Amino acid sequence: MERKSYPTDLTDIEWEILAPLIPPAKEGGHLPTTDIGEICNSIYYHLKTGCQWNMLPGDFPPRSTVYSYYSKWQGHGVWEKFNHTLGGQVRSKLGKSTQPTALAADSQSVNTDQKKGMCIVLTDIKR
C-alpha cells in the first residue's frame, strides 16, 4: 500500500543529493528494514509541522524508529551536512557562490549578575 504524499516529502532530485550524506549502517549490525528515504520524509514532516513525535501520521514508519534515526544523525552532524549541501545547491541555482560572502552583525546589551556586556550575533544575509 502506497502512503499519502506530503508537501514536506523529498523530491527525487533532493534525495539524490542527500542520500550519499547518510551514514552507512554499522558493519556487523542488522540491515535496515525501513526505507531510509521514508525516515527522512518523516523527519522533515516533523520538523516542518512541529508535530510531536507521537503525532506523526500513521503511514510513516514507527515513530520510535524515526526518532532513533533523527537522534543518531543529529549527534553525527548529518543535519548540518544536509542543510549546508541543500543551501549550497539553492545558492548555486540562483547564480551565487555556494558559500555566503557577507555576514550581518547585531549587538545587544546583556544583563548579567556582575556586569553588562555585549552579545554579538552573526547572521547569514539571505537575499
Side-chain angles (χ1 to χ4, degrees), residues 42-58:
S42 304
I43 293 170
Y44 276 117
Y45 180 91
H46 162 76
L47 294 173
K48 182 67 175 175
T49 65
C51 75
Q52 296 173 346
W53 289 108
N54 64 350
M55 300 293 284
L56 282 174

Side-chain angles (χ1 to χ4, degrees), residues 3-124:
R3 74 162 177 80
K4 172 184 173 182
S5 94
Y6 295 96
T8 55
D9 285 353
L10 293 168
T11 65
D12 291 341
I13 293 170
E14 289 169 333
W15 177 242
E16 190 176 307
I17 293 166
L18 297 181
L21 302 175
I22 296 173
K26 289 181 184 176
E27 287 191 35
H30 295 286
L31 292 176
T33 57
T34 305
D35 182 312
I36 299 299
E38 285 301 294
I39 296 291
C40 288
N41 286 331
S42 304
I43 293 170
Y44 276 117
Y45 180 91
H46 162 76
L47 294 173
K48 182 67 175 175
T49 65
C51 75
Q52 296 173 346
W53 289 108
N54 64 350
M55 300 293 284
L56 282 174
D59 51 355
F60 281 130
R63 69 177 182 246
S64 59
T65 303
V66 175
Y67 180 77
S68 174
Y69 276 94
Y70 172 79
S71 180
K72 179 173 60 173
W73 291 348
Q74 189 174 34
H76 288 103
V78 173
W79 298 115
E80 290 82 2
K81 289 178 193 172
F82 278 14
N83 288 330
H84 178 76
T85 301
L86 288 178
Q89 293 284 328
V90 169
R91 292 181 63 81
S92 181
K93 279 190 173 189
L94 294 173
K96 298 180 177 185
S97 167
T98 58
Q99 297 296 317
T101 56
L103 292 175
D106 184 18
S107 64
Q108 65 188 47
S109 295
V110 177
N111 290 324
T112 64
D113 291 342
Q114 299 165 1
K115 300 178 187 177
K116 285 192 176 185
M118 296 298 289
C119 176
I120 304 295
V121 179
L122 298 177
T123 311
D124 181 10

